[in-house]
Amino acid sequence: MADDLAEHGWSQQNIFLPEQLTLELAAECRLLAASGALNAASVGRGTAQAIRTDIRGDRILWLKAGQSPACDSYLHIMENLRIALNRALYLGLVDYESHFALYGPGASYQTHLDRFRDDDCRTVSVIIYLNHDWLPEQGGALRLHPQGESVQDISPMGSRLVLFLSADMLHEVLPATRDRLSLAGWFRRRPALDN
């Protein structure tokens, strides 16, 4: 993964989470959605923050330590990945933030970067898919736009991990014909002013 990030700016691992943990996280996401705990995601920051379903159509809930055994297992795995990326690439990653994301049928997210213009903390973006028995014809691909390379469409198959550099990788979420579940997250460094 570290070599891929250094060379291409992104990496894909097809079986990253154990199958049982993937199923538990998917069940938790569905239960949260059914209870109304997932909220429409917004775009922008501060006073410019707004819900724009024409730009971004997912519903989300941020993870917290202690939320559930499955979430705690996932966060522990991501902490180990943070340490490994720091050892390999000296990125200065200090923490990780993540949320469940559910895109209903037809929902999408237009092309964007994950790093905010006024905040350079997000360094490596992470997406882990929770979709059991996903078929490519159901859509919902993550479309990456690597600089100087061909567009890459990545199907949201369960347990698949995608990493990319937050400041550099334009990407979008294409619409699907069924609910599309994932965990989206960001390894963060300290703000540049604190260095």
Side-chain angles (χ1 to χ4, degrees):
M1 285 186 279
D3 289 345
D4 288 344
L5 274 180
E7 186 173 345
H8 303 289
W10 68 283
S11 181
Q12 171 185 325
Q13 304 298 314
N14 287 339
I15 302 174
F16 181 73
L17 290 183
E19 182 179 7
Q20 185 59 38
L21 180 56
T22 302
L23 292 172
E24 289 170 8
L25 289 165
E28 184 171 346
C29 185
R30 283 191 191 90
L31 186 62
L32 289 165
S35 72
L38 301 184
N39 296 307
S42 59
V43 296
R45 283 169 47 96
T47 57
Q49 191 171 13
I51 294 172
R52 293 279 313 272
T53 55
D54 58 320
I55 296 173
R56 179 180 185 180
D58 57 329
R59 292 179 291 138
I60 68 169
L61 180 71
W62 290 92
L63 272 61
K64 297 178 289 197
Q67 179 174 321
S68 70
C71 284
D72 284 350
S73 293
Y74 164 70
L75 292 172
H76 178 73
I77 289 168
M78 299 316 288
E79 174 62 10
N80 289 335
L81 180 56
R82 182 190 70 81
I83 292 166
L85 290 173
N86 275 341
R87 285 185 182 146
L89 298 174
Y90 307 101
L91 294 174
L93 306 173
V94 296
D95 65 18
Y96 180 68
E97 60 182 3
S98 183
H99 63 64
F100 282 114
L102 189 154
Y103 289 81
S108 63
Y109 195 163
Q110 291 183 3
T111 306
H112 64 284
L113 291 172
D114 279 353
R115 185 177 282 179
F116 298 113
R117 290 186 188 117
D118 62 346
D119 182 343
D120 67 352
C121 294
R122 286 183 175 177
T123 305
V124 178
S125 299
V126 180
I127 303 165
I128 297 181
Y129 296 109
L130 307 176
N131 306 298
H132 184 64
D133 293 335
W134 192 272
L135 301 173
E137 57 267 27
Q138 293 171 321
L142 172 70
R143 177 168 286 170
L144 300 179
H145 299 266
Q147 295 177 10
E149 296 183 25
S150 302
V151 167
Q152 300 287 326
D153 284 352
I154 301 169
S155 185
M157 298 168 58
S159 299
R160 177 173 280 168
L161 165 79
V162 182
L163 299 174
F164 54 87
L165 298 176
S166 303
D168 302 327
M169 185 62 69
L170 280 169
H171 61 286
E172 60 187 301
V173 176
L174 303 180
T177 59
R178 62 179 261 204
D179 284 349
R180 176 190 184 276
L181 311 177
S182 64
L183 287 160
W186 298 271
F187 289 113
R188 296 163 36 92
R189 65 183 183 193
R190 289 187 178 88
L193 295 177
D194 293 346
N195 291 337

